């Protein structure tokens, strides 16, 4: 048999990549468990089982071999990300329904891994948020005794207060609201965010994700939130809250970097990351939802092919092209 | 020696590969024995195959031309040892297509008798044209792997050559033939470069050598012996530093534009092995009958470099290195990145065969099942042509051949970097080769159909023209006839009248010549005169009578 592929040991693989994404999620997830209880682990387990079962069923219907697709780990990563995105105290059927939707409508109906234009986890999340707003906005309280089971997230609390005409400094001065904010940007949440940042940096340093998306996203979000916070600190939350208070870190390193649905050119990824930051900031600051990351990701997913088209790098020798 | 530090430019992408070079550089280059049989393919270069000028049964000498260059882009083939031509037929040849090629097969006699050679003692005594002619006659082609006939690349034509670059990068893992050649025959390389520079009228000459070849660098430096006509520049060891366009960029910062040759930038790039072959051809009059080949890989117990006669079956080299062919998983010609599999070990060493890489079965790399592309972009990060292989793949798979050219498919140098890093194990280069050959085929087909269409249209036009001409001729004739009859002097009638008149004239003028009129006496002549007078009187009388009666 004539082969013409390089005789070089194979080192990279999709399943290895997904495995390392899994490792990188450990610090953030551990912090999540530490502050908010083991609910999130139950969600993750439910999501994983649902993802594998759903993926198998659809592959069976599509008459495709099961093993390669199940082994690549992409369904599991989708499941874990969705489980981390929804409130850990949501009823079991929420995650089951959301994961099944993400796998079937977000991924398999487009042809499976590599063909989905949207981030499946975010598609599942947005579907759940629109369909079950109550379950999707009831967050666990930090476990510091037994006084509360649920609490608002910092962004949620701010949105409510601002909606009632209370400005940010006054709201935070109120001990009931203020206790949600912790040292940096939300008691407990800030540590979870730092955990995801740590895992994200691991992926970045080991070259498993492209640096352009998280860097562009975090820089843009910092610049935007700093500028607006300087203009009117009573109406716009400070940059630390934007960076560590919500889903920013999970989003920047684990969700926006999903290569299938992101822009693929180096320059395009800068625009893509920046675009997510802009939409996130706009929705958080002026939109109807306290957290805008999922919408921002889906909006930029739609823009990705166009971004790629206009950001193709010049080929070697193209500058003097005599074509 | 030129000690100025040249500014080095770094090309995009590339890979740091495990070198595996030291395993074959510990021993000196060994001369391979004369094989019992030589298999010499007619096509060992880019261009037209050579045309055989010997017949089966002919005795040939080492260095004798057995097939001559056919057309401008071609190169002759020489017998690499003495013996008898026993066959001219298709045989297995080392080629990526795996197809057979026509070869001249020589049974050697072991005497290695060579034809007389005429080298030069000073190459500057002959013209560059003469140098090129000698290089053509010597059958030298690019020994780095591409095999383009060298005399063409030593002809600047209308361009002024600024820089001659000697490529000594040898960036593929395992291959060390250029490295060993430079270590052992640095002077041949340097002097070959000088001949090339002379032939090209090149202002500068730079040798670009990867910084991992310390001994070769030292040997070249020693051979230069302080002269500063050739600049020796170390370039970073990074695959594919030895790609022609990459080497030119590294040394000059100039990107050879797509679809153009380096010559248009005033740059010519040759391999160091070619330079050494040029030296031998010009100074020693020796045609290209042997080359240095690296025999390496995990299936070779004693990897080393061997000076091999062109045409030696590879199986003989394997046994020379005590390799057990049953243990071999894969024999590649060239390096592990851009090399290709050998169809059979009976195939011979050709002019472009720089390395025989034989891997042991225990090192077999199982073919990986391809997964879908996840557009991670690793391929784009390592692409030295700065392409987007993920997009090229997408369009190649969908057979969108217009789109794929927008992504500069034809700037792909098939280096294989994208294949190595792809986490989905997609054989990307194979897809690109497929797309390229399909596009070429389509263009050929289109050209063919265009030609056919033009021919067909031309024929229709010719038929129409002929019809038209016929009609016009006919009309002209008709019109002429009509005109004549209108005027009243029918040419036919006129012709008849003229003929009748001619007859009349003839009748009246042509008197029957009287016979026996010679040597007459005066008496006789007097009698004739009288008779004539009488006849004339009678005639006049007759005439008057007829005039009267009419």
């Amino acid at each position: 048999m004539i082969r013409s592929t390089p005789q070089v040991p194979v080192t990279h693989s999709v399943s290895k990549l997904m495995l390392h994404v899994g490792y990188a999620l450990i610090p953030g997830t551990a912090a999540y468990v530490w502050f908010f209880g083991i609910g999130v682990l139950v969600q993750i387990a439910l999501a994983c089982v649902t993802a594998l079962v759903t993926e198998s069923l659809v592959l069976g219907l599509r008459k495709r071999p099961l093993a390669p697709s199940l082994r690549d780990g992409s369904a599991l990563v989708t499941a874990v990300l969705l489980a981390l995105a929804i409130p850990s105290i949501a009823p079991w059927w929420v995650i089951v329904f959301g994961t099944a939707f993400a796998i079937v409508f977000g991924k398999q109906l487009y042809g499976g891994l590599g063909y989905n234009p949207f981030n499946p986890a975010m598609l599942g999340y947005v579907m759940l948020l629109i369909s079950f707003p109550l379950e999707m906005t009831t967050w666990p309280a930090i476990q510091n005794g037994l006084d509360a089971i649920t609490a608002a997230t910092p962004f949620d609390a701010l949105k409510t207060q601002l909606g009632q005409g209370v400005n940010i400094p006054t709201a935070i001065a109120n001990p009931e609201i203020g206790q949600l904010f912790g040292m940096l940007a939300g008691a407990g949440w800030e540590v979870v965010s730092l955990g995801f940042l740590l895992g994200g940096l691991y992926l970045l340093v080991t070259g498993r994700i492209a640096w352009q998306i998280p860097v562009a996203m975090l820089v843009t979000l910092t610049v935007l939130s700093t500028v607006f916070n300087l203009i009117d600190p009573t109406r716009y939350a400070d940059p630390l809250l934007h960076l560590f208070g919500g889903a920013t870190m999970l989003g920047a390193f684990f969700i926006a970097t999903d290569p299938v649905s992101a822009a693929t050119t180096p320059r395009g990824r800068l625009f893509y990351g920046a675009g997510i930051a802009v939409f996130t900031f706009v929705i958080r600051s002026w939109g109807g939802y306290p957290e805008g990351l999922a919408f921002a990701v889906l909006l930029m997913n739609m823009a990705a092919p166009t971004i790629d088209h206009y950001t193709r790098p010049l080929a070697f020798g193209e500058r003097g092209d005599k074509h | 020696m030129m000690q100025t530090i040249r500014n080095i430019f770094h090309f995009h992408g590339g890979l740091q590969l495990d070198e595996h070079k030291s395993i074959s550089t510990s021993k000196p280059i060994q001369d391979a024995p004369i094989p019992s049989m030589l298999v010499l393919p007619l096509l060992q270069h880019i261009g037209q195959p050579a045309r055989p000028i010997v017949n089966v049964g002919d005795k040939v000498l080492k260095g004798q031309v057995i097939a001559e260059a056919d057309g401008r882009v071609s190169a002759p083939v020489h017998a690499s040892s003495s013996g008898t031509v026993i066959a001219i037929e298709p045989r297995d040849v080392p080629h990526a297509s795996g197809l057979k090629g026509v070869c001249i097969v020589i049974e050697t006699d072991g005497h290695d008798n060579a034809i007389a050679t005429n080298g030069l003692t000073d190459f500057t005594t002959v013209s560059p044209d003469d140098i090129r002619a000698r290089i053509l006659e010597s059958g030298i082609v690019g020994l780095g792997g591409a095999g383009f006939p060298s005399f063409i690349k030593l002809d600047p034509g209308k361009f002024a050559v600024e820089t001659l670059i000697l490529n000594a990068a040898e960036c593929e893992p395992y291959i060390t033939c250029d490295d060993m050649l430079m270590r052992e025959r640095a002077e041949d390389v340097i002097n070959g470069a000088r001949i090339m520079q002379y032939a090209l009228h090149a202002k500068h000459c730079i040798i670009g050598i990867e910084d991992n070849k310390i001994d070769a660098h030292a040997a070249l430096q020693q051979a230069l012996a302080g002269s500063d006509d050739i600049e020796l520049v170390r370039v970073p060891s990074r695959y594919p530093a030895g790609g022609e366009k990459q080497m030119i960029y590294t040394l000059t910062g100039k990107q050879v534009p797509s679809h153009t040759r380096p010559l248009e930038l005033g740059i010519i790039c040759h391999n160091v092995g070619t330079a050494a072959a040029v030296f031998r051809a010009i100074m020693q009059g020796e045609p290209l009958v042997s080359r240095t080949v690296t025999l390496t890989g995990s299936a070779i117990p004693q990897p080393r470099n061997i000076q091999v006669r062109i045409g030696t079956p590879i199986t003989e080299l394997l046994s020379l290195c005590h390799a057990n062919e049953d243990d071999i998983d894969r024999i590649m010609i060239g390096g592990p990145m851009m090399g290709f599999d050998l169809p059979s070990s009976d195939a011979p060493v050709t002019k472009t065969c720089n390395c025989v890489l034989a891997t042991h079965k225990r090192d077999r790399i199982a073919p990986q099942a391809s997964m879908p592309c996840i557009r991670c972009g690793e391929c784009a990060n390592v692409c030295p042509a700065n392409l987007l292989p993920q997009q090229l793949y997408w369009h190649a798979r969908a057979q969108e051949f217009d789109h794929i050219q927008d992504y500069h498919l034809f700037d792909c140098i098939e280096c294989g970097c994208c294949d190595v890093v792809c986490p989905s194990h997609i054989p990307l280069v194979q897809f690109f080769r497929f797309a390229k050959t399909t596009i070429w085929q389509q263009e050929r087909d289109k050209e063919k159909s265009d030609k056919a269409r033009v021919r067909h249209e031309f024929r229709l036009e010719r038929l129409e023209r002929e019809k038209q001409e016929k009609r016009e001729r006919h009309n002209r004739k008709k019109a002429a006839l009509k005109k004549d009859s209108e005027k009243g002097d029918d040419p036919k009638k006129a012709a008849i009248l003229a003929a009748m008149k001619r007859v009349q004239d003839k009748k009246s003028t042509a008197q029957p010549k009287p016979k026996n009129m010679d040597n007459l006496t005066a008496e006789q002549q007097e009698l004739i005169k009288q008779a004539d007078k009488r006849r004339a009187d009678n005639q006049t009388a007759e005439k008057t009578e007829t005039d009267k009666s009419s």
Side-chain angles (χ1 to χ4, degrees), chain A residues 21 25 81-82 84-85 119 121-122 125 192-197 199-200 203 209-218 221 242-259 261-262 272-274 276-277 280 284 291-298 300-301:
Chain A
V21 171
L25 283 167
L81 289 176
L82 183 57
L84 288 171
N119 184 316
M122 289 303 99
Y125 177 86
V192 175
S193 280
L194 283 170
F196 289 134
L197 172 63
L203 290 180
I209 53 171
W211 63 269
Q212 288 94 339
I213 295 174
V215 169
M217 188 177 149
L218 295 179
L221 191 60
H242 274 285
L243 290 177
F244 296 99
T248 305
M249 290 300 162
L250 183 68
F253 291 99
F254 296 93
I255 293 167
T257 52
D258 164 39
S261 54
Y272 179 82
I276 291 178
T280 304
R284 280 179 182 175
E291 177 56 280
L293 191 120
F295 292 103
V297 168
L298 293 182
M300 290 312 289
N301 283 166

Side-chain angles (χ1 to χ4, degrees), chain B residues 81-96:
Chain B
S81 188
S82 57
T84 314
V85 177
I86 55 166
I88 301 176
E89 61 186 22
R91 291 275 179 115
D92 279 325
V93 292
H95 190 271

Side-chain angles (χ1 to χ4, degrees), chain B residues 26 60 276 294 347 459 489:
Chain B
S26 57
V60 293
T294 308
R459 181 168 175 271
D489 61 347

